[in-house]
Amino acid sequence: SYVLTQPPSVSVAPGRTATITCGGDNIGSKNVHWYQQKPGQAPVLVIYYDTDRPSGIPERFSGSNSGNTATLTISRVEAGDEAGYYCQVWDSSTDHHVVFGGGTKLTVL
Amino acid sequence: EVELVQSGAEVKNPGESLRISCKTSGYSFTNYWIAWVRQMPGKGLEWVGVIDPNDSDTRYSPSFRGQVTISADKSTSTAYLQWSSLKASDTAIYYCARPEDNNDYRVFVYWGQGTLVTVSS
């Protein structure tokens, strides 16, 4: 089955830029989606189809995807961005399964 | 407004059966797949499976096939996740989610609030 690899944790100071990666075999050929999950809450979609932002998501959130790595970038990080972040793809090669990365805990210092 | 409202927390003994629900509103229930996602305590998101309420076409993650059953009731716009014999390892929060597009289930825009299932003797 397809595997997505994320760093368990990323730390960043307020106002700086956070970069969260999601690695997978030729992931650049797939569409990557990113979810934010705060403690005790359901996930929220923040980036879909590699680079698109759903309505209501700040422009500070952006995404890219190429080669074997997809990246979620959060500019001008705020305390409220502290959360878990999960990448997700749809793996059409294995019976159309949904695959999540292991998640990255973003800590705002 | 699209809403997915899940049933309340459950505490069960090992070996018991359970069905949790996800009641939807604000859109045509039969036009969109509904997925279930597991989150074990302190862990990440895992895809359980998905159902097309229009014809009950159901697909499961290999990890969950045979362990759970997903169903849907068109008359009440409700999706279900059920177990016939719970194990302690089923303890988790279970989310239902609806995709953005009515043709597939590639990305999930709408999520239920989650149902905590605790299995303990």
Side-chain angles (χ1 to χ4, degrees):
Chain A
S1 62
Y2 193 75
V3 176
L4 295 174
T5 301
Q6 297 183 237
S9 63
V10 168
S11 299
V12 64
R16 305 302 291 262
T17 297
T19 300
I20 299 173
T21 59
C22 176
D25 184 31
N26 196 25
I27 195 173
S29 67
K30 302 180 184 298
N31 295 128
V32 180
H33 318 292
W34 292 91
Y35 301 87
Q36 174 194 71
Q37 187 182 33
K38 296 182 179 179
Q41 298 184 20
V44 173
L45 182 68
V46 293
I47 292 290
Y48 62 146
Y49 293 105
D50 297 340
T51 60
D52 294 342
R53 272 179 293 103
S55 61
I57 301 301
E59 291 184 8
R60 301 184 297 104
F61 289 81
S62 62
S64 63
N65 183 20
S66 178
N68 293 317
T69 304
T71 302
L72 172 69
T73 301
I74 309 172
S75 305
R76 301 181 300 283
V77 166
E78 303 173 355
D81 298 331
E82 186 162 288
Y85 290 85
Y86 297 88
C87 57
Q88 177 246 308
V89 301
W90 187 62
D91 182 27
S92 60
S93 67
T94 57
D95 200 20
H96 308 288
H97 287 152
V98 172
V99 180
F100 288 99
T104 298
K105 173 69 192 315
L106 176 67
T107 299
V108 181
L109 300 171
Chain B
E1 178 191 8
V2 174
E3 282 195 305
L4 284 69
V5 179
Q6 298 185 229
S7 49
E10 301 275 1
V11 179
K12 292 288 189 179
N13 292 314
E16 291 187 326
S17 62
L18 175 65
R19 188 177 76 167
I20 62 175
S21 65
C22 172
K23 184 167 177 58
T24 72
S25 61
Y27 72 98
S28 178
F29 181 62
T30 55
N31 283 358
Y32 293 83
W33 295 77
I34 288 284
W36 287 93
V37 175
R38 182 176 80 173
Q39 187 168 40
M40 299 178 75
K43 301 299 183 182
L45 304 174
E46 300 174 89
W47 183 65
V48 176
V50 67
I51 188 167
D52 179 350
N54 185 52
D55 60 7
S56 292
D57 180 11
T58 309
R59 301 170 189 184
Y60 295 94
S61 163
S63 301
F64 291 91
R65 189 174 293 125
Q67 308 305 309
V68 298
T69 301
I70 296 172
S71 60
D73 183 345
K74 288 189 279 189
S75 69
T76 60
S77 299
T78 302
Y80 298 96
L81 178 65
Q82 67 183 67
W83 296 259
S84 59
S85 181
L86 286 160
K87 302 184 286 289
S89 57
D90 293 319
T91 295
I93 297 173
Y94 293 85
Y95 294 99
C96 61
R98 200 210 83 174
E100 179 236 7
D101 190 4
N102 63 356
N103 289 324
D104 56 43
Y105 48 93
R106 298 170 188 263
V107 55
F108 302 99
V109 178
Y110 301 99
W111 292 72
Q113 82 277 19
T115 295
L116 174 61
V117 174
T118 303
V119 184
S120 174
S121 55

